[in-house]
Amino acid sequence: MKIIEELKKRKIPIVAIDKSLDQYDDKILFPKKLAKANEMLRKIGLPKTTAK
């Protein structure tokens, strides 16, 4: 129980990253959706951020 309490108090989560996902680094998985998103960004652009 002591270990669980220590994990709950941590600010940074413990995450294990699966190395087998590295095979997708340089691949475009959804080219049609990517093209559509790029077209929308060209037409509309990114939203403006307001500084306070």
Side-chain angles (χ1 to χ4, degrees):
M1 291 304 269
K2 186 177 181 181
I3 295 173
I4 294 173
E5 293 300 321
E6 289 178 14
L7 289 174
K8 288 182 180 179
K9 290 180 184 178
R10 287 184 181 214
K11 298 289 182 188
I12 301 172
I14 299 173
V15 178
I17 299 173
D18 190 359
K19 295 291 182 182
S20 67
L21 296 174
D22 288 342
Q23 65 182 336
Y24 301 111
D25 277 347
D26 297 325
K27 293 183 182 177
I28 298 174
L29 298 178
F30 305 102
K32 290 180 184 177
K33 288 186 178 186
L34 178 64
K36 184 177 178 181
N38 283 334
E39 183 63 28
M40 290 178 73
L41 284 173
R42 266 191 230 86
K43 288 181 182 177
I44 300 169
L46 293 173
K48 305 284 189 254
T49 57
T50 57
K52 290 184 178 183

